[in-house]
Amino acid sequence: MFGLSPSVAWALAGLLLIALEAVVPGLIIVFFGLGALATSLATALFGLSTDSQLLLFAASSVVSLLGLRRLFKKTFQGEARTENQLRQRLEDFTGEAAVVTEAIPEGGAGRIKLRGSFYAAVAREAIPAGTAVKVAADVHGDHSLFKVETL
């Protein structure tokens, strides 16, 4: 590859594949990059033949994929929350103080700022922007609409 030694070529390929993971999501390409880096190291230490290099690349890529993907996925994507955890999180909003950022008309929806994020909100009566309110309920159970009342 452009007059480079095989170990340097594998190392460059590995670094390129790992960098490509940042552009192409899915947490798969990085393991081929790790396989290429392992092949680079083994080729530098043991002077492997081309066939041996290809076999080692395939094997080390699959082993790293199967062995490390779960760990990497947990680290980079976080853990999924269970339905009970989500329900508990929703209940945490009840009684929370918020501020109306877009007036809530009678019979209509406006917007509130709650814990640094903005949400749609409804109320029994019209509430002007800038008014402090408290969350009475999460109407849909998914943060898409809160019922609020004035403090």
Side-chain angles (χ1 to χ4, degrees):
M1 181 199 245
F2 305 110
L4 300 173
S5 71
S7 61
V8 172
W10 280 112
L12 290 174
L15 294 174
L16 179 66
L17 287 167
I18 290 170
L20 191 59
E21 182 68 49
V23 179
V24 180
L27 202 58
I28 297 290
I29 298 172
V30 69
F31 299 105
F32 290 100
L34 293 174
L37 291 177
T39 303
S40 171
L41 181 62
T43 301
L45 293 175
F46 305 113
L48 301 176
S49 68
T50 302
D51 289 341
S52 297
Q53 291 174 36
L54 292 173
L55 182 63
L56 179 61
F57 170 68
S60 59
S61 294
V62 169
V63 167
S64 67
L65 175 65
L66 296 176
L68 298 174
R69 188 166 193 270
R70 184 172 293 145
L71 173 71
F72 277 39
K73 191 172 184 178
K74 219 181 255 189
T75 301
F76 291 109
Q77 295 178 347
E79 294 184 40
R81 293 183 184 205
T82 66
E83 185 68 30
N84 287 339
Q85 288 171 322
L86 288 173
R87 194 173 296 115
Q88 179 61 42
R89 179 78 172 136
L90 295 176
E91 291 169 5
D92 289 346
F93 284 113
T94 303
E96 284 277 328
V99 175
V100 176
T101 58
E102 181 182 307
I104 302 172
E106 186 175 340
R111 300 208 41 91
I112 60 170
K113 183 175 183 181
L114 173 65
R115 294 186 183 178
S117 296
F118 298 90
Y119 301 94
V122 293
R124 288 187 188 147
E125 72 278 355
I127 304 175
T131 304
V133 294
K134 74 174 179 176
V135 174
D138 185 353
V139 177
H140 294 290
D142 62 3
H143 294 340
S144 64
L145 185 64
F146 286 105
K147 182 177 181 181
V148 296
E149 44 192 51
T150 55
L151 292 175

